Amino acid sequence: MGGTDEPGVTEGGLGVLSAGARTLYLSAVRSGGRLVPAESGCDGTSQLRELVEIGLLVPDMDDPGVLVAVDPRQLTAGLSAAWQRKALELLSRSMALPSDFQQLSQAYSEVGADPREGGPVEHLVGKTEINQRLSALFEGSTKEILSAQPGGGARSFPTEAAIALDVGILRRGVSRRTIYQPSTRYSAPTRHYVTAMTAEGGQVRTLDEPFTRLMIIDRTVAVIPGSGDTERAAFIRDEAVIGYLLSLFEGCWERAIPFLGNGDVPPEVVTRLRRNIVRMMLQGVGHRVIARNLGLSERTLARHIAELREEYDAETLFQLGWKLSESFHRLPEGDGDLD
């Protein structure tokens, strides 16, 4: 049996019964072809339901509390014919599905289309519909997928599902480039995703400046947030708009720093991140807001501040702020060091 209790698997491969159901049936046969569920401890089990549903165990007409084993040969011909008819019916329905749904698909696609001159813009509302459309676009891609995802740890798909989808895309020969914020280098799920992606030829970089969420598929469809709402997305097919968005993405890509998914954060990334932390601290921004703006967890932000206090030998946050203010304002804008 191979030790499996998975329905449809037997020693020979594809089968009808689970290993547990087969064992229970053989036990009933060896007990004279009769089984009392209440006494045998199998009452209500999935294995018992399997045997009753398929007809290998039936109630005794004289004693309903007893199940009687049926000769499998009596069931084979009838079940085989019934299942073959069901298979043909399902096959026929599957072949008719594209044409049957064509009108419905066309109507669905036209909903939200922008009839104004300049090309269609389709607006979708709700994460479920947005993710379904993204999945279809990803799976149908043939050339490249570009993504700019600020706060990249908050992915549209669960990490393992995103890895499975994107690795499949890369193995089809579709290129994949993604831009994240530097804070994602501190996110274990994102590092796991990036490691899997780069191992398959994907490219990921981080950019230490504000940028907008954007996806471009095969340079024919661009996806941007709709009206600043994460529950809305605009799917754009206008060539001029896509060309403009492509130029924005390529400019960000050139300024971004490669990210391979390992736990080593390049010094320039740490320096720039801490410069932004310091700038907001000196502006009086609260820690929770700083963490949200930079895409950091409050724990990661606290670790950076603790390391800054140690570096500047500051016992209190007030003392740290005073020392940082002196160092920060002596530097020209864009200088990489805080010392």
Side-chain angles (χ1 to χ4, degrees):
M1 302 296 169
T4 182
D5 196 36
E6 191 176 318
V9 177
T10 65
E11 288 179 342
L14 185 62
V16 176
L17 297 176
S18 67
R22 289 165 62 86
T23 300
L24 182 58
Y25 177 80
L26 292 174
S27 175
V29 170
R30 293 175 186 133
S31 300
R34 297 170 66 80
L35 178 70
V36 182
E39 296 178 1
S40 62
C42 64
D43 195 16
T45 63
S46 60
Q47 294 86 353
L48 182 63
R49 287 197 301 271
E50 237 182 291
L51 295 173
V52 171
E53 287 172 4
I54 204 169
L56 283 170
L57 290 179
V58 297
D60 189 327
M61 296 181 64
D62 297 324
D63 188 352
V66 176
L67 296 175
V68 179
V70 175
D71 186 349
R73 287 172 294 187
Q74 296 178 10
L75 296 175
T76 300
L79 281 176
S80 178
W83 289 356
Q84 287 181 42
R85 287 195 300 271
K86 187 65 174 178
L88 286 172
E89 179 188 344
L90 291 174
L91 180 60
S92 298
R93 293 178 68 184
S94 69
M95 293 178 67
L97 193 61
S99 59
D100 197 32
F101 277 14
Q102 183 176 3
Q103 183 180 4
L104 301 178
S105 299
Q106 183 177 356
Y108 182 87
S109 299
E110 289 173 355
V111 173
D114 190 342
R116 294 173 297 179
E117 184 179 357
V121 177
E122 183 180 7
H123 298 271
L124 292 185
V125 180
K127 288 185 178 180
T128 300
E129 289 198 27
I130 293 170
N131 286 346
Q132 286 178 349
R133 183 61 58 85
L134 286 175
S135 293
L137 288 171
F138 282 16
E139 291 173 359
S141 61
T142 59
K143 297 177 182 177
E144 68 174 359
I145 297 176
L146 311 176
S147 301
Q149 300 191 73
R155 303 184 52 77
S156 298
F157 303 96
T159 301
E160 294 302 329
I163 290 175
L165 177 63
D166 289 348
V167 165
I169 290 170
L170 288 165
R171 289 178 179 174
R172 292 203 322 264
V174 178
S175 67
R176 188 83 165 89
R177 287 189 285 157
T178 304
I179 302 174
Y180 288 139
Q181 287 180 307
S183 58
T184 56
R185 295 175 182 265
Y186 298 93
S187 166
T190 304
R191 288 200 305 268
H192 175 48
Y193 167 81
V194 172
T195 299
M197 291 295 295
T198 53
E200 295 290 340
Q203 299 179 68
V204 183
R205 295 185 179 184
T206 60
L207 180 64
D208 180 41
E209 61 185 66
F211 59 92
T212 302
R213 186 174 300 275
L214 168 67
M215 291 184 183
I216 304 176
I217 298 94
D218 286 345
R219 305 198 171 210
T220 59
V221 182
V223 187
I224 63 174
S227 304
D229 188 342
T230 57
E231 297 289 338
R232 296 176 178 268
F235 291 73
I236 303 168
R237 291 175 174 82
D238 180 87
E239 291 185 8
V241 176
I242 291 174
Y244 174 74
L245 294 173
L246 272 169
S247 66
L248 289 181
F249 180 89
E250 295 295 352
C252 290
W253 182 260
E254 290 300 319
R255 297 191 299 274
I257 299 173
F259 179 21
L260 299 179
N262 55 41
D264 298 329
V265 182
E268 61 267 35
V269 173
V270 177
T271 299
R272 292 177 185 178
L273 185 61
R274 288 186 178 175
R275 170 173 285 278
N276 285 329
I277 293 173
V278 170
R279 178 180 287 111
M280 283 187 274
M281 286 179 63
L282 295 178
Q283 291 172 348
V285 180
H287 289 185
R288 180 170 298 178
V289 177
I290 293 175
R292 184 174 66 247
N293 289 347
L294 295 178
L296 295 170
S297 68
E298 292 188 45
R299 170 185 277 182
T300 300
L301 174 63
R303 187 171 74 245
H304 280 291
I305 293 176
E307 290 175 358
L308 283 169
R309 287 178 59 179
E310 183 177 352
E311 181 180 346
Y312 283 84
D313 192 25
E315 295 183 2
T316 65
L317 282 175
F318 179 82
Q319 189 178 19
L320 174 64
W322 177 70
K323 291 188 175 183
L324 287 175
S325 179
E326 285 193 330
S327 300
F328 189 80
H329 291 300
R330 284 201 304 266
L331 295 173
E333 184 65 26
D335 197 318
D337 295 322
L338 291 173
D339 292 332

